[in-house]
Amino acid sequence: MAEPAEWLAACDLPAAWAGQAQWRVLETGFGLGLNFLATWQAWRDDPARPGMLHFAATEVHAAPAADLLHAAGAHPSLQALADELAAQWQGLLPGTHRLVFEGGRVLLTLGVGDAQTWLKTQHLCVDSVYLGGFRPPLDGHWLKAVARCCHRGTRLASWTVATSVVDGLQQVGFKVSTSPDAALGDKLQAVFNPAWEPRKKPDLAWPQARSPQRCLVIGAGLAGAAAAASLARRGWAVTVLDANAAPASGASGLPAGFLAPHVSADDGVLSRLSRSGLRATWQAVTSLLKPEDGRATGVLQRRFDASAQLPSDWPEAGAHWSHAALGASGDAQAPLQHPAGGWVKPARLVEALLQSPGVKWHGGQDVASLKRVVNQPDGAVPAAAVWRALNASGVCLAEAELVVVAAGPHSAPLLRASRGDAPPLQPVRGQVVWGTWPAQSGESSAASALPATPVNGLGGLIPKFPALKGKGTAESSSTEAMQSHWLMSATYERDEERPLVRPEDTALLLERLMRLWPTAGKALAPMIKAGQAQTWAGVRCASPDRLPLVGPVDESTAPGLWLCTAMGSRGLTFAVLSGELMAAWLHAEPLPLEKRLAQHLLASRFKTV
């Protein structure tokens, strides 16, 4: 069996990637991850490394993390990287999983399940191929699937030199050479260079890849901050404009929010998207925030609705759910414990994302319209088109080649003012109630009435999160501070554009709390009824199918005008994932989702109104 370094050398790495903005590797058979770890280590060690390394890999079944660590034990130089890999190696159900390393500059996109099927679900264009993991044995259809992921010049390596493999690769357009290796046996090297011009079925939904330039992001909430950070990491010079004086002044200013997966009997679109979104958000929270700003405490989901079923063939997938031993009256089914759930302070995450290198944020900039201008320079230089952000007086606030509208409920009015139409977006007002548990001993019995972890199922209760000096700022990370605040969320009022606080909604939240966790409801009711609790309201933006809108508005009529909005009530779940999906589309990168799931988020899926 070839050593990991041999796979790199057979693909002319690291020399081939020198000075490139990104490099994309496909491995057919991830196994125990040694080739990925070796490629990552080579990237780390190379001063001429590409700005980003993408490693897409397939595996029928993900091995246990302990096996990955054991295999890396034979390669001491890889052990530290293996520890980082194992820390994210959880919840790997069939489908696509994005694992993030090096601050987002090394991305592992892992497809668990049948490899040939998974390749069809992706939108891959790779520079190197490690051809291995022959389960089932290679055939013509499988090799065609690999070839469809290649461009002219893609290098391929394998330690299988069977005649069927050589002939099959040649038939799909590879120039193949084989040579003996005294230590390893025969090896195969190939370059994708077909004698014909490869036909690739056009996909009108996918925009052409672009090189990093300037980008304007309109909106400094979760969606805008996530989009800005993802693009800046790929070399864009990003300017974020917001009408408010501080970031996260809209719905993203919630004192604390839930992170928990959606589950359904058919494991439908929302369920699968929520799992991918959860992983993406926790990766950002772990790398950017302190524990007092976000914590994976687990979330208990009570199921009052008899239709809240799980897929019948699911095992208990440790990182995602398990049945909870709770004798809860009123539940139609046994509650679920989501170990991957928890709480996050959205404003702190927004602030951290906006501090990414390459991002400049400007408050008090009220963008009233967007105008595309084509500047025709002298001579034969092609015309340069830019988007200008104008205020109500027509003054240009900023300009860039790409603009991303992430303005929440203001996205639709901005688009209508700019082009006369917009997708059917809906404002949705939400209200929460929250308060402080005083430190006096007399309150200890009341505090003990709270659940050990956040609970959802009929609204949501976060029983403990840190005290706040101001919006999103922790007083301290002590145990006392961690136990000082509770929050009950959230109402859902469609077509209300004003962030009003209504007493009747406070009463509704208390009523829900009494059902969700009765002991907490009884303990908190006096505080809420006496007006000693605080209230907060914000306005979300939702689409008709309650999924985000990501991608170009219409590349034929408005090239360079993109959306990243309509996060609805799941901004913490969807924002980071949406930013990464948008960046992947812009740069022809492996998608963080299966292609069919990504298509559910395309901004162009709705007719404009």
Side-chain angles (χ1 to χ4, degrees):
M1 184 65 182
E3 290 293 306
E6 294 292 329
W7 287 92
L8 277 81
C11 286
D12 195 28
L13 295 176
W17 68 34
Q20 298 296 312
Q22 64 170 315
W23 198 260
R24 301 156 297 189
V25 179
L26 169 64
E27 180 174 31
T28 61
F30 187 80
L32 297 176
L34 293 178
N35 290 337
F36 165 66
L37 296 174
T39 305
W40 179 7
Q41 184 65 59
W43 178 89
R44 263 192 167 190
D45 293 342
D46 187 4
R49 61 180 174 261
M52 294 192 68
L53 173 64
H54 293 275
F55 198 101
T58 65
E59 188 54 59
V60 178
H61 302 288
D67 291 356
L68 272 61
L69 293 171
H70 179 75
H75 305 270
S77 64
L78 303 180
Q79 191 63 60
L81 301 184
D83 291 341
E84 291 190 46
L85 175 62
Q88 295 189 39
W89 198 260
Q90 55 186 348
L92 299 176
L93 296 168
T96 299
H97 304 276
R98 168 62 60 79
L99 280 63
V100 179
F101 308 94
E102 303 289 347
R105 293 185 298 152
V106 174
L107 301 178
L108 169 60
T109 305
L110 181 68
V112 178
D114 177 73
Q116 184 174 340
T117 300
W118 184 77
L119 288 178
K120 293 178 180 178
T121 74
Q122 267 288 332
H123 190 67
L124 288 177
C125 180
V126 301
D127 307 296
S128 305
V129 179
Y130 303 162
L131 189 68
F134 304 138
R135 298 191 306 270
L138 297 181
D139 59 23
H141 294 295
W142 166 228
L143 293 176
K144 282 183 181 178
V146 172
R148 282 194 293 268
C149 299
C150 301
H151 60 78
R152 197 177 294 276
T154 296
R155 292 179 178 269
L156 177 148
S158 180
W159 265 257
T160 294
V161 295
T163 301
S164 59
V165 174
V166 173
D167 291 347
L169 287 171
Q170 290 174 337
Q171 289 171 11
V172 297
F174 284 91
K175 304 299 183 184
V176 181
S177 63
T178 60
S179 60
D181 186 296
L184 301 171
D186 291 337
K187 66 179 178 181
L188 180 152
Q189 294 173 281
V191 177
F192 188 65
N193 190 25
W196 61 91
E197 192 58 37
R199 280 198 223 168
K200 294 200 174 182
K201 184 178 179 181
D203 193 333
L204 299 179
W206 256 250
Q208 293 295 315
R210 300 182 61 152
S211 299
Q213 293 174 284
R214 297 175 298 171
C215 175
L216 279 177
V217 175
I218 313 301
L222 278 167
S230 289
L231 292 176
R233 195 159 48 246
R234 289 156 174 85
W236 290 79
V238 183
T239 299
V240 181
L241 304 180
D242 195 282
N244 296 292
S249 293
S252 298
L254 183 73
F258 269 94
L259 268 176
H262 179 272
V263 292
S264 58
D266 62 353
D267 197 25
V269 171
L270 179 57
S271 297
R272 295 174 71 86
L273 285 172
S274 74
R275 292 201 300 274
S276 294
L278 230 69
R279 184 184 291 273
T281 302
W282 280 129
Q283 288 162 347
V285 168
T286 301
S287 64
L288 296 175
L289 300 187
K290 297 177 181 179
E292 60 262 31
D293 294 326
R295 186 167 289 192
T297 55
V299 169
L300 180 72
Q301 179 184 344
R302 294 191 60 182
R303 297 190 288 170
F304 298 99
D305 186 349
S307 65
Q309 299 282 344
L310 288 169
S312 58
D313 59 345
W314 267 25
E316 292 204 357
H320 288 301
W321 71 278
S322 61
H323 282 111
L326 176 70
S329 61
D331 288 45
Q333 299 177 79
L336 300 177
Q337 182 72 40
H338 301 294
W343 59 266
V344 176
K345 295 179 186 173
R348 293 295 293 138
L349 181 56
V350 169
E351 292 166 5
L353 290 167
L354 290 177
Q355 291 171 6
S356 301
V359 176
K360 295 181 179 180
W361 124 262
H362 300 281
Q365 303 294 304
D366 194 352
V367 179
S369 64
L370 299 164
K371 183 178 181 181
R372 188 169 183 265
V373 178
V374 178
N375 296 324
Q376 181 64 59
D378 295 334
V381 179
V386 297
W387 284 93
R388 290 179 178 170
L390 309 176
N391 66 14
S393 300
V395 175
C396 180
L397 303 175
E399 68 176 30
E401 289 75 20
L402 176 72
V403 62
V404 178
V405 176
H410 304 294
S411 297
L414 176 57
L415 288 174
R416 280 193 289 269
S418 305
R419 47 183 278 118
D421 55 19
L425 300 177
Q426 184 180 48
V428 180
R429 173 190 160 276
Q431 182 172 320
V432 307
V433 59
W434 60 297
T436 302
W437 284 107
Q440 291 89 343
S441 59
E443 299 293 336
S444 60
S445 60
S448 66
L450 294 172
T453 68
V455 183
N456 70 352
L458 191 67
L461 171 64
I462 302 175
K464 301 173 185 177
F465 67 99
L468 310 176
K469 286 181 178 177
K471 180 172 59 181
T473 303
E475 286 181 356
S476 76
S477 58
S478 67
T479 301
E480 290 76 20
M482 289 298 293
Q483 296 176 346
S484 60
H485 277 71
W486 57 269
L487 180 145
M488 180 66 191
S489 65
T491 60
Y492 197 89
E493 182 182 0
R494 295 179 175 89
D495 296 320
E496 175 54 75
E497 301 178 0
R498 299 167 298 171
L500 304 173
V501 171
R502 295 184 173 137
E504 59 268 31
D505 279 6
T506 301
L508 174 62
L509 288 167
L510 176 57
E511 179 184 332
R512 290 179 178 175
L513 177 58
M514 293 294 290
R515 288 192 63 198
L516 183 67
W517 203 265
T519 56
K522 292 176 183 177
L524 295 173
M527 181 187 305
I528 295 172
K529 291 179 179 179
Q532 297 171 351
Q534 300 183 59
T535 53
W536 177 94
V539 181
R540 319 165 182 107
C541 174
S543 68
D545 60 8
R546 300 297 180 259
L547 296 177
L549 271 65
V550 184
V553 173
D554 187 334
E555 283 291 273
S556 62
T557 63
L561 177 60
W562 285 53
L563 281 176
C564 185
T565 192
M567 304 292 131
S569 58
R570 297 180 181 271
L572 277 171
T573 300
F574 286 142
V576 176
L577 176 65
S578 296
E580 282 297 289
L581 177 61
M582 184 180 66
W585 275 330
L586 274 166
H587 295 276
E589 299 173 359
L591 301 180
L593 296 166
E594 293 94 335
K595 182 177 176 180
R596 69 176 183 84
L597 284 178
Q599 287 174 319
H600 282 281
L601 303 184
L602 275 169
S604 57
R605 69 186 186 272
F606 293 116
K607 293 181 180 180
T608 55
V609 295

PDB file of all heavy atoms in Angstrom, residues 78-102:
ATOM      1  N   LEU A  78       1.828  13.468  11.654  1.00  0.00           N
ATOM      2  CA  LEU A  78       0.425  13.714  11.346  1.00  0.00           C
ATOM      3  C   LEU A  78      -0.477  13.674  12.584  1.00  0.00           C
ATOM      4  O   LEU A  78      -1.677  13.931  12.480  1.00  0.00           O
ATOM      5  CB  LEU A  78      -0.088  12.693  10.324  1.00  0.00           C
ATOM      6  CG  LEU A  78       0.654  12.596   8.994  1.00  0.00           C
ATOM      7  CD1 LEU A  78       0.004  11.541   8.104  1.00  0.00           C
ATOM      8  CD2 LEU A  78       0.692  13.940   8.284  1.00  0.00           C
ATOM      9  N   GLN A  79       0.102  13.337  13.754  1.00  0.00           N
ATOM     10  CA  GLN A  79      -0.734  13.074  14.917  1.00  0.00           C
ATOM     11  C   GLN A  79      -1.518  14.302  15.361  1.00  0.00           C
ATOM     12  O   GLN A  79      -2.710  14.210  15.687  1.00  0.00           O
ATOM     13  CB  GLN A  79       0.136  12.580  16.068  1.00  0.00           C
ATOM     14  CG  GLN A  79      -0.675  12.021  17.240  1.00  0.00           C
ATOM     15  CD  GLN A  79      -1.489  10.802  16.865  1.00  0.00           C
ATOM     16  OE1 GLN A  79      -0.926   9.794  16.441  1.00  0.00           O
ATOM     17  NE2 GLN A  79      -2.811  10.877  16.998  1.00  0.00           N
ATOM     18  N   ALA A  80      -0.887  15.462  15.372  1.00  0.00           N
ATOM     19  CA  ALA A  80      -1.592  16.668  15.824  1.00  0.00           C
ATOM     20  C   ALA A  80      -2.756  16.999  14.889  1.00  0.00           C
ATOM     21  O   ALA A  80      -3.832  17.406  15.342  1.00  0.00           O
ATOM     22  CB  ALA A  80      -0.619  17.843  15.901  1.00  0.00           C
ATOM     23  N   LEU A  81      -2.551  16.813  13.586  1.00  0.00           N
ATOM     24  CA  LEU A  81      -3.636  17.062  12.638  1.00  0.00           C
ATOM     25  C   LEU A  81      -4.741  16.024  12.801  1.00  0.00           C
ATOM     26  O   LEU A  81      -5.927  16.351  12.673  1.00  0.00           O
ATOM     27  CB  LEU A  81      -3.108  17.038  11.205  1.00  0.00           C
ATOM     28  CG  LEU A  81      -2.013  18.063  10.867  1.00  0.00           C
ATOM     29  CD1 LEU A  81      -1.666  17.993   9.380  1.00  0.00           C
ATOM     30  CD2 LEU A  81      -2.433  19.468  11.246  1.00  0.00           C
ATOM     31  N   ALA A  82      -4.367  14.798  13.077  1.00  0.00           N
ATOM     32  CA  ALA A  82      -5.369  13.749  13.299  1.00  0.00           C
ATOM     33  C   ALA A  82      -6.240  14.076  14.512  1.00  0.00           C
ATOM     34  O   ALA A  82      -7.443  13.803  14.512  1.00  0.00           O
ATOM     35  CB  ALA A  82      -4.686  12.398  13.485  1.00  0.00           C
ATOM     36  N   ASP A  83      -5.638  14.667  15.540  1.00  0.00           N
ATOM     37  CA  ASP A  83      -6.425  15.063  16.712  1.00  0.00           C
ATOM     38  C   ASP A  83      -7.469  16.111  16.320  1.00  0.00           C
ATOM     39  O   ASP A  83      -8.615  16.063  16.787  1.00  0.00           O
ATOM     40  CB  ASP A  83      -5.501  15.631  17.794  1.00  0.00           C
ATOM     41  CG  ASP A  83      -4.604  14.571  18.411  1.00  0.00           C
ATOM     42  OD1 ASP A  83      -4.925  13.378  18.288  1.00  0.00           O
ATOM     43  OD2 ASP A  83      -3.571  14.951  19.003  1.00  0.00           O
ATOM     44  N   GLU A  84      -7.091  17.074  15.465  1.00  0.00           N
ATOM     45  CA  GLU A  84      -8.051  18.087  15.009  1.00  0.00           C
ATOM     46  C   GLU A  84      -9.160  17.457  14.173  1.00  0.00           C
ATOM     47  O   GLU A  84     -10.327  17.845  14.274  1.00  0.00           O
ATOM     48  CB  GLU A  84      -7.328  19.160  14.194  1.00  0.00           C
ATOM     49  CG  GLU A  84      -6.404  20.050  15.005  1.00  0.00           C
ATOM     50  CD  GLU A  84      -5.905  21.233  14.196  1.00  0.00           C
ATOM     51  OE1 GLU A  84      -6.739  21.880  13.516  1.00  0.00           O
ATOM     52  OE2 GLU A  84      -4.685  21.512  14.223  1.00  0.00           O
ATOM     53  N   LEU A  85      -8.789  16.503  13.328  1.00  0.00           N
ATOM     54  CA  LEU A  85      -9.788  15.814  12.512  1.00  0.00           C
ATOM     55  C   LEU A  85     -10.760  15.039  13.396  1.00  0.00           C
ATOM     56  O   LEU A  85     -11.989  15.108  13.208  1.00  0.00           O
ATOM     57  CB  LEU A  85      -9.098  14.881  11.520  1.00  0.00           C
ATOM     58  CG  LEU A  85     -10.001  13.986  10.659  1.00  0.00           C
ATOM     59  CD1 LEU A  85     -10.916  14.830   9.771  1.00  0.00           C
ATOM     60  CD2 LEU A  85      -9.150  13.039   9.804  1.00  0.00           C
ATOM     61  N   ALA A  86     -10.236  14.307  14.358  1.00  0.00           N
ATOM     62  CA  ALA A  86     -11.089  13.498  15.236  1.00  0.00           C
ATOM     63  C   ALA A  86     -12.053  14.357  16.036  1.00  0.00           C
ATOM     64  O   ALA A  86     -13.174  13.927  16.338  1.00  0.00           O
ATOM     65  CB  ALA A  86     -10.220  12.658  16.171  1.00  0.00           C
ATOM     66  N   ALA A  87     -11.646  15.585  16.367  1.00  0.00           N
ATOM     67  CA  ALA A  87     -12.514  16.466  17.155  1.00  0.00           C
ATOM     68  C   ALA A  87     -13.775  16.839  16.395  1.00  0.00           C
ATOM     69  O   ALA A  87     -14.805  17.150  17.007  1.00  0.00           O
ATOM     70  CB  ALA A  87     -11.746  17.729  17.548  1.00  0.00           C
ATOM     71  N   GLN A  88     -13.734  16.817  15.061  1.00  0.00           N
ATOM     72  CA  GLN A  88     -14.916  17.133  14.256  1.00  0.00           C
ATOM     73  C   GLN A  88     -15.579  15.888  13.678  1.00  0.00           C
ATOM     74  O   GLN A  88     -16.587  15.992  12.983  1.00  0.00           O
ATOM     75  CB  GLN A  88     -14.529  18.079  13.102  1.00  0.00           C
ATOM     76  CG  GLN A  88     -14.068  19.437  13.544  1.00  0.00           C
ATOM     77  CD  GLN A  88     -13.915  20.408  12.380  1.00  0.00           C
ATOM     78  OE1 GLN A  88     -14.728  20.420  11.453  1.00  0.00           O
ATOM     79  NE2 GLN A  88     -12.865  21.215  12.411  1.00  0.00           N
ATOM     80  N   TRP A  89     -15.035  14.723  13.971  1.00  0.00           N
ATOM     81  CA  TRP A  89     -15.469  13.474  13.356  1.00  0.00           C
ATOM     82  C   TRP A  89     -16.650  12.899  14.131  1.00  0.00           C
ATOM     83  O   TRP A  89     -16.536  11.964  14.906  1.00  0.00           O
ATOM     84  CB  TRP A  89     -14.302  12.483  13.327  1.00  0.00           C
ATOM     85  CG  TRP A  89     -14.457  11.349  12.377  1.00  0.00           C
ATOM     86  CD1 TRP A  89     -14.853  10.068  12.682  1.00  0.00           C
ATOM     87  CD2 TRP A  89     -14.216  11.373  10.968  1.00  0.00           C
ATOM     88  NE1 TRP A  89     -14.873   9.300  11.553  1.00  0.00           N
ATOM     89  CE2 TRP A  89     -14.485  10.066  10.471  1.00  0.00           C
ATOM     90  CE3 TRP A  89     -13.829  12.347  10.074  1.00  0.00           C
ATOM     91  CZ2 TRP A  89     -14.351   9.734   9.128  1.00  0.00           C
ATOM     92  CZ3 TRP A  89     -13.683  12.018   8.737  1.00  0.00           C
ATOM     93  CH2 TRP A  89     -13.945  10.730   8.281  1.00  0.00           C
ATOM     94  N   GLN A  90     -17.826  13.464  13.888  1.00  0.00           N
ATOM     95  CA  GLN A  90     -19.011  13.025  14.625  1.00  0.00           C
ATOM     96  C   GLN A  90     -20.255  13.312  13.797  1.00  0.00           C
ATOM     97  O   GLN A  90     -20.255  14.174  12.918  1.00  0.00           O
ATOM     98  CB  GLN A  90     -19.107  13.756  15.963  1.00  0.00           C
ATOM     99  CG  GLN A  90     -19.098  15.269  15.823  1.00  0.00           C
ATOM    100  CD  GLN A  90     -19.048  15.965  17.164  1.00  0.00           C
ATOM    101  OE1 GLN A  90     -19.241  15.344  18.205  1.00  0.00           O
ATOM    102  NE2 GLN A  90     -18.807  17.264  17.163  1.00  0.00           N
ATOM    103  N   GLY A  91     -21.312  12.564  14.068  1.00  0.00           N
ATOM    104  CA  GLY A  91     -22.584  12.798  13.390  1.00  0.00           C
ATOM    105  C   GLY A  91     -22.526  12.568  11.897  1.00  0.00           C
ATOM    106  O   GLY A  91     -23.238  13.231  11.140  1.00  0.00           O
ATOM    107  N   LEU A  92     -21.700  11.630  11.439  1.00  0.00           N
ATOM    108  CA  LEU A  92     -21.480  11.449   9.999  1.00  0.00           C
ATOM    109  C   LEU A  92     -22.490  10.470   9.405  1.00  0.00           C
ATOM    110  O   LEU A  92     -22.157   9.358   8.978  1.00  0.00           O
ATOM    111  CB  LEU A  92     -20.040  10.982   9.752  1.00  0.00           C
ATOM    112  CG  LEU A  92     -18.972  11.980  10.219  1.00  0.00           C
ATOM    113  CD1 LEU A  92     -17.577  11.405  10.041  1.00  0.00           C
ATOM    114  CD2 LEU A  92     -19.102  13.305   9.488  1.00  0.00           C
ATOM    115  N   LEU A  93     -23.744  10.898   9.373  1.00  0.00           N
ATOM    116  CA  LEU A  93     -24.803  10.137   8.719  1.00  0.00           C
ATOM    117  C   LEU A  93     -24.584  10.171   7.203  1.00  0.00           C
ATOM    118  O   LEU A  93     -23.803  10.981   6.701  1.00  0.00           O
ATOM    119  CB  LEU A  93     -26.157  10.747   9.054  1.00  0.00           C
ATOM    120  CG  LEU A  93     -26.580  10.697  10.525  1.00  0.00           C
ATOM    121  CD1 LEU A  93     -27.787  11.592  10.746  1.00  0.00           C
ATOM    122  CD2 LEU A  93     -26.870   9.277  10.952  1.00  0.00           C
ATOM    123  N   PRO A  94     -25.246   9.310   6.432  1.00  0.00           N
ATOM    124  CA  PRO A  94     -25.118   9.375   4.970  1.00  0.00           C
ATOM    125  C   PRO A  94     -25.428  10.771   4.440  1.00  0.00           C
ATOM    126  O   PRO A  94     -26.389  11.418   4.863  1.00  0.00           O
ATOM    127  CB  PRO A  94     -26.144   8.338   4.492  1.00  0.00           C
ATOM    128  CG  PRO A  94     -26.206   7.339   5.598  1.00  0.00           C
ATOM    129  CD  PRO A  94     -26.068   8.153   6.859  1.00  0.00           C
ATOM    130  N   GLY A  95     -24.600  11.241   3.523  1.00  0.00           N
ATOM    131  CA  GLY A  95     -24.778  12.574   2.959  1.00  0.00           C
ATOM    132  C   GLY A  95     -23.460  13.324   2.920  1.00  0.00           C
ATOM    133  O   GLY A  95     -22.386  12.722   2.981  1.00  0.00           O
ATOM    134  N   THR A  96     -23.533  14.638   2.831  1.00  0.00           N
ATOM    135  CA  THR A  96     -22.362  15.500   2.693  1.00  0.00           C
ATOM    136  C   THR A  96     -22.073  16.202   4.004  1.00  0.00           C
ATOM    137  O   THR A  96     -22.981  16.725   4.658  1.00  0.00           O
ATOM    138  CB  THR A  96     -22.591  16.553   1.593  1.00  0.00           C
ATOM    139  OG1 THR A  96     -22.814  15.879   0.355  1.00  0.00           O
ATOM    140  CG2 THR A  96     -21.397  17.473   1.450  1.00  0.00           C
ATOM    141  N   HIS A  97     -20.796  16.237   4.368  1.00  0.00           N
ATOM    142  CA  HIS A  97     -20.372  16.880   5.606  1.00  0.00           C
ATOM    143  C   HIS A  97     -19.163  17.757   5.322  1.00  0.00           C
ATOM    144  O   HIS A  97     -18.214  17.325   4.674  1.00  0.00           O
ATOM    145  CB  HIS A  97     -20.030  15.834   6.669  1.00  0.00           C
ATOM    146  CG  HIS A  97     -21.148  14.877   6.936  1.00  0.00           C
ATOM    147  ND1 HIS A  97     -22.175  15.159   7.810  1.00  0.00           N
ATOM    148  CD2 HIS A  97     -21.432  13.661   6.403  1.00  0.00           C
ATOM    149  CE1 HIS A  97     -23.024  14.149   7.823  1.00  0.00           C
ATOM    150  NE2 HIS A  97     -22.608  13.228   6.974  1.00  0.00           N
ATOM    151  N   ARG A  98     -19.202  18.979   5.813  1.00  0.00           N
ATOM    152  CA  ARG A  98     -18.099  19.923   5.625  1.00  0.00           C
ATOM    153  C   ARG A  98     -17.364  20.097   6.953  1.00  0.00           C
ATOM    154  O   ARG A  98     -17.936  20.548   7.934  1.00  0.00           O
ATOM    155  CB  ARG A  98     -18.652  21.260   5.128  1.00  0.00           C
ATOM    156  CG  ARG A  98     -17.690  22.429   5.144  1.00  0.00           C
ATOM    157  CD  ARG A  98     -16.473  22.241   4.256  1.00  0.00           C
ATOM    158  NE  ARG A  98     -16.750  22.050   2.872  1.00  0.00           N
ATOM    159  CZ  ARG A  98     -17.049  23.004   1.984  1.00  0.00           C
ATOM    160  NH1 ARG A  98     -17.162  24.254   2.377  1.00  0.00           N
ATOM    161  NH2 ARG A  98     -17.247  22.703   0.715  1.00  0.00           N
ATOM    162  N   LEU A  99     -16.076  19.753   6.955  1.00  0.00           N
ATOM    163  CA  LEU A  99     -15.229  19.919   8.125  1.00  0.00           C
ATOM    164  C   LEU A  99     -14.234  21.035   7.823  1.00  0.00           C
ATOM    165  O   LEU A  99     -13.693  21.106   6.705  1.00  0.00           O
ATOM    166  CB  LEU A  99     -14.501  18.614   8.476  1.00  0.00           C
ATOM    167  CG  LEU A  99     -15.328  17.556   9.246  1.00  0.00           C
ATOM    168  CD1 LEU A  99     -16.505  17.058   8.420  1.00  0.00           C
ATOM    169  CD2 LEU A  99     -14.448  16.372   9.643  1.00  0.00           C
ATOM    170  N   VAL A 100     -13.981  21.898   8.793  1.00  0.00           N
ATOM    171  CA  VAL A 100     -13.253  23.142   8.566  1.00  0.00           C
ATOM    172  C   VAL A 100     -12.010  23.199   9.444  1.00  0.00           C
ATOM    173  O   VAL A 100     -12.078  22.952  10.658  1.00  0.00           O
ATOM    174  CB  VAL A 100     -14.157  24.350   8.869  1.00  0.00           C
ATOM    175  CG1 VAL A 100     -13.409  25.666   8.674  1.00  0.00           C
ATOM    176  CG2 VAL A 100     -15.400  24.317   7.991  1.00  0.00           C
ATOM    177  N   PHE A 101     -10.883  23.549   8.821  1.00  0.00           N
ATOM    178  CA  PHE A 101      -9.614  23.632   9.537  1.00  0.00           C
ATOM    179  C   PHE A 101      -8.871  24.900   9.105  1.00  0.00           C
ATOM    180  O   PHE A 101      -9.219  25.528   8.106  1.00  0.00           O
ATOM    181  CB  PHE A 101      -8.758  22.396   9.255  1.00  0.00           C
ATOM    182  CG  PHE A 101      -9.482  21.095   9.484  1.00  0.00           C
ATOM    183  CD1 PHE A 101     -10.117  20.441   8.437  1.00  0.00           C
ATOM    184  CD2 PHE A 101      -9.559  20.538  10.751  1.00  0.00           C
ATOM    185  CE1 PHE A 101     -10.806  19.258   8.638  1.00  0.00           C
ATOM    186  CE2 PHE A 101     -10.254  19.361  10.966  1.00  0.00           C
ATOM    187  CZ  PHE A 101     -10.877  18.717   9.907  1.00  0.00           C
ATOM    188  N   GLU A 102      -7.861  25.250   9.870  1.00  0.00           N
ATOM    189  CA  GLU A 102      -6.996  26.394   9.546  1.00  0.00           C
ATOM    190  C   GLU A 102      -7.798  27.677   9.328  1.00  0.00           C
ATOM    191  O   GLU A 102      -7.567  28.425   8.381  1.00  0.00           O
ATOM    192  CB  GLU A 102      -6.149  26.088   8.298  1.00  0.00           C
ATOM    193  CG  GLU A 102      -5.285  24.849   8.398  1.00  0.00           C
ATOM    194  CD  GLU A 102      -4.103  25.022   9.365  1.00  0.00           C
ATOM    195  OE1 GLU A 102      -3.823  26.170   9.758  1.00  0.00           O
ATOM    196  OE2 GLU A 102      -3.476  24.002   9.718  1.00  0.00           O
TER     197      GLU A 102
END
